[in-house]
Amino acid sequence: MTASGTNGVHAAPPQVTKTAATPPVVVPAPVNPPKQTILSLGALPPRPTAWHGKGPRTPSRIDPNNPPWPAYRGYHEYSFAHATMGHRLPTILGKAIDDVVRTLNEQSDVDRIVDLVESIARMQDLMEDLTGNTKLRPIVDDGEGDIPLWNKEIAQFFQGKDFMNAPWLFAEAYKYRRLHECFSVSKYWKDYDVFFRQKCDTFSRSSKAVFELSMRFSKPWKQVESLNATQKQEAIRLMFHELTQVCLWGNSTDLSLLINMTEEDIKKLQSTGGDHLAATEKNILGNDIPRLWETVKRISQKPDGRIDFILDNAGFELYCDCVYADWLIQSGIAKQIRFHGKRFAWFVSDVTRKDWDWLLNTMVYGQLFPEASDAQMDSLRAMGERWKQYEREGKWVYEQHPFWCTGYTFWDLATEAPDVFLHLSRSDLVLFKGDLNHRKLTYDCEAPPATPFDMAIGPMASLPGAPPVCSLRTIKSDVVVGIPEEVADRLNRDEDGWKISGKYAVVLLSDGRPGEKVRFQSQGRFAFQ
Ligand code: F6P
Ligand code: MG
């Protein structure tokens, strides 16, 4: 089955004519984004065979084409993989082409123009490959460090596979690397981010929630002096509980799903008030926040407690992450926070270094919110200045390892990026934000919903030295683990589209094996299972 055969609406790519003698000429074609937000996809058809959660594959037989439980693949009409590969990705790519055409029309230098026209031609080729469901070819060697990781994985596991029959996770990630390649082989546009405008724009349309948080949290946090020790501990626990949820629900604004959302829609999703959070807590279907608090209390006893964020989306979600991280520092729980972002534009809204810098600088120097009061702008500036100061002092560190933008799941982190595993093993808590990170932790496969989180994340829980890992994820795709079976049964029966609406969430914790010496096996994939 080809993607184009299943795809109702997608953006028409611009037509690029190439001749030997003259530079190519671009004629942008009109783009027709979908009228509805993709969130209203509704029910997915039922899975055709009787799959009742058989046991997982034995570890030695697990590989990227054969996850522990059956993989989701684009041709599975019952899964969100199908809608994504056949409909959402071509739409996203069409909008990306629009963005580049807009940039092209703002250029005056002929070399830069011709170079960018060639990038657009490559994007059009990618659109043809995607909608024509061609086989996955190696990534062109653009001199970047991740090439061996990509091409080794393609050669070892995906020879002859196409966009629709490769596991969804790999095929989707591959599309974003191919999109990056359209620019990485250019001369002037190597770091061009086709989603940058969208990311900034959505943050600028989030003013209500942005100021709700800045007005509350810009002043340095301190305990009320009149409280006794028990009351102080309870006050700090309550704050932790609230801010963990602010951080969690910040993940519901994901640009790849929110195409065409109105400002009102965004406001509803971003409500950060205490009452709203209490009401939405019942939507956290697997809720380890109480256990997470016990972990955090232990960290606060350490003189050098470190917490890592494996970041997800830029803009409002990153802002919520930073509000949380700010409080974790101010309350004395952590002495250092390390943030891990992406090396290039990834899954539309993910944080890159440029997004990180943009957020902190726009808070201090920007004029994004013309309607804001002086007090609101002051609060945003004060918070931005404090965050920049954390960076200068090394209390906050931003990093970007190539592994985060590969098609590997985190079951392969220790084997494919042992340096990252070792680095994370020294953390006291690693918070994985969002849906894609959750898919990668759990191998994005059809594990039964009641599968314990530890089991679903395999080596990230069971390897010696594995740090405590927590997934803060609003549910936006098929894989769901760590929730009671009866809850999944009820939602499957009563609520169409519950796995893709972003209305439900999980906060799942694995204790890991911290403190044990990390050892790497020279051979074999999961030697420590
Ligand atoms: O395209 C599907 C997807 O990869 C899903 O995982 C999710 O719906 C979205 O894109 C990314 O979500 P997040 O930004 O939370 O990782
Ligand atoms: Mg994302």
Side-chain angles (χ1 to χ4, degrees):
M1 178 185 302
T2 66
S4 52
T6 62
N7 179 17
V9 185
H10 72 74
Q15 304 304 308
V16 180
T17 328
K18 291 180 222 166
T19 63
T22 51
V25 179
V26 178
V27 185
V31 168
N32 304 312
K35 297 257 180 323
Q36 298 293 316
T37 89
I38 307 297
L39 281 176
S40 42
L41 273 173
L44 301 169
R47 195 184 198 285
T49 54
W51 162 249
H52 291 303
K54 298 192 197 88
R57 216 176 267 276
T58 48
S60 60
R61 299 183 53 217
I62 293 170
D63 68 46
N65 191 39
N66 297 290
W69 282 272
Y72 296 105
R73 299 179 195 259
Y75 66 82
H76 291 152
E77 292 184 13
Y78 57 86
S79 96
F80 192 41
H82 189 65
T84 296
M85 296 309 298
H87 178 102
R88 292 177 57 241
L89 292 194
T91 304
I92 288 168
L93 185 55
K95 282 174 76 92
I97 293 173
D98 273 359
D99 171 272
V100 186
V101 169
R102 185 170 156 194
T103 300
L104 179 77
N105 293 341
E106 293 162 356
Q107 303 306 308
S108 56
D109 178 84
V110 67
D111 292 343
R112 292 175 67 85
I113 290 175
V114 171
D115 199 30
L116 195 55
V117 164
E118 284 167 7
S119 292
I120 296 173
R122 285 187 285 271
M123 292 174 86
Q124 190 185 13
D125 290 345
L126 174 56
M127 180 71 96
E128 278 166 19
D129 286 355
L130 183 62
T131 55
N133 192 31
T134 58
K135 293 198 183 355
L136 309 182
R137 62 152 172 82
I139 302 293
V140 171
D141 188 353
D142 48 17
E144 298 195 2
D146 61 345
I147 291 291
L149 281 170
W150 277 101
N151 290 346
K152 183 180 70 166
E153 193 177 8
I154 293 169
Q156 267 187 303
F157 305 108
F158 302 116
Q159 277 183 46
K161 286 271 180 274
D162 56 44
F163 281 92
M164 295 303 261
N165 69 15
W168 173 33
L169 178 67
F170 184 81
E172 193 177 11
Y174 172 83
K175 178 246 156 175
Y176 286 96
R177 184 57 178 88
R178 283 277 306 270
L179 178 57
H180 177 56
E181 181 199 281
C182 298
F183 299 93
S184 62
V185 298
S186 74
K187 183 166 178 201
Y188 298 101
W189 302 94
K190 287 187 183 304
D191 298 321
Y192 187 78
D193 180 348
V194 292
F195 306 119
F196 186 66
R197 280 196 184 96
Q198 253 178 289
K199 290 185 267 193
C200 299
D201 185 51
T202 309
F203 186 70
S204 69
R205 292 193 289 135
S206 307
S207 57
K208 184 166 180 287
V210 166
F211 289 121
E212 248 169 47
L213 290 171
S214 68
M215 293 296 278
R216 240 185 103 192
F217 293 104
S218 65
K219 296 242 166 60
W221 184 84
K222 56 178 184 332
Q223 283 278 18
V224 181
E225 284 310 323
S226 54
L227 300 181
N228 66 31
T230 321
Q231 288 167 328
K232 279 186 178 157
Q233 185 73 343
E234 181 58 5
I236 199 168
R237 187 190 69 77
L238 288 172
M239 186 61 88
F240 168 79
H241 195 259
E242 181 178 345
L243 282 175
T244 303
Q245 286 188 73
V246 167
C247 178
L248 167 69
W249 293 109
N251 178 245
S252 40
T253 48
D254 156 29
L255 293 176
S256 76
L257 290 172
L258 303 188
I259 297 168
N260 286 0
M261 273 229 146
T262 65
E263 199 151 338
E264 269 317 297
D265 294 335
I266 293 174
K267 269 185 206 153
K268 269 186 234 149
L269 277 173
Q270 292 179 340
S271 279
T272 58
D275 290 350
H276 176 80
L277 291 180
T280 49
E281 190 167 2
K282 65 177 185 338
N283 291 350
I284 305 177
L285 305 177
N287 188 349
D288 285 341
I289 295 179
R291 273 180 61 215
L292 186 62
W293 170 239
E294 295 305 317
T295 304
V296 158
K297 268 200 300 190
R298 279 194 296 276
I299 300 173
S300 67
Q301 306 303 316
K302 298 186 66 171
D304 55 355
R306 162 181 155 194
I307 296 180
D308 286 52
F309 281 69
I310 314 302
L311 294 170
D312 184 7
N313 300 319
F316 184 70
E317 179 169 354
L318 177 60
Y319 176 78
C320 292
D321 295 340
C322 288
V323 168
Y324 189 38
D326 184 2
W327 181 79
L328 288 168
I329 292 278
Q330 290 195 60
S331 59
I333 289 170
K335 305 298 173 298
Q336 188 183 58
I337 310 273
R338 301 186 87 94
F339 298 89
H340 303 263
K342 307 296 191 300
R343 214 171 51 78
F344 53 81
W346 190 246
F347 283 70
V348 185
S349 14
D350 285 24
V351 180
T352 63
R353 170 100 229 178
K354 181 171 168 181
D355 299 321
W356 168 269
D357 289 339
W358 179 84
L359 178 69
L360 269 57
N361 287 326
T362 205
M363 287 171 69
V364 176
Y365 306 109
Q367 302 192 1
L368 268 190
F369 305 104
E371 313 216 317
S373 68
D374 287 351
Q376 287 175 323
M377 288 309 285
D378 287 349
S379 66
L380 199 60
R381 201 169 305 117
M383 219 157 58
E385 267 160 5
R386 187 161 68 231
W387 297 355
K388 284 167 80 75
Q389 181 63 18
Y390 289 150
E391 263 206 298
R392 284 191 288 271
E393 293 169 352
K395 289 181 178 162
W396 281 11
V397 181
Y398 181 91
E399 308 180 8
Q400 45 177 31
H401 192 283
F403 181 78
W404 304 119
C405 290
T406 65
Y408 284 107
T409 73
F410 302 152
W411 279 57
D412 281 326
L413 193 143
T415 44
E416 300 302 333
D419 53 330
V420 179
F421 186 81
L422 190 62
H423 184 42
L424 294 182
S425 75
R426 294 175 180 142
S427 178
D428 295 296
L429 173 65
V430 184
L431 301 170
F432 285 84
K433 289 294 316 286
D435 196 79
L436 177 64
N437 278 330
H438 190 87
R439 288 171 63 195
K440 287 192 155 195
L441 279 167
T442 56
Y443 230 128
D444 200 35
C445 55
E446 290 184 70
T451 307
F453 183 59
D454 285 71
M455 186 192 232
I457 69 174
M460 282 303 286
S462 62
L463 287 179
V469 160
C470 180
S471 176
L472 294 154
R473 174 234 190 172
T474 63
I475 301 173
K476 295 185 276 188
S477 64
D478 305 67
V479 59
V480 177
V481 299
I483 74 168
E485 197 171 330
E486 57 280 12
V487 172
D489 287 346
R490 176 175 51 77
L491 288 165
N492 282 334
R493 201 180 50 238
D494 299 345
E495 204 170 318
D496 288 344
W498 70 274
K499 289 182 176 175
I500 52 177
S501 63
K503 172 177 165 192
Y504 296 98
V506 286
V507 178
L508 296 172
L509 177 69
S510 148
D511 293 327
R513 294 172 63 180
E516 291 184 46
K517 186 168 169 44
V518 173
R519 284 172 288 120
F520 295 110
Q521 192 88 348
S522 51
Q523 298 266 308
R525 299 180 62 76
F526 302 120
F528 299 105
Q529 281 286 305

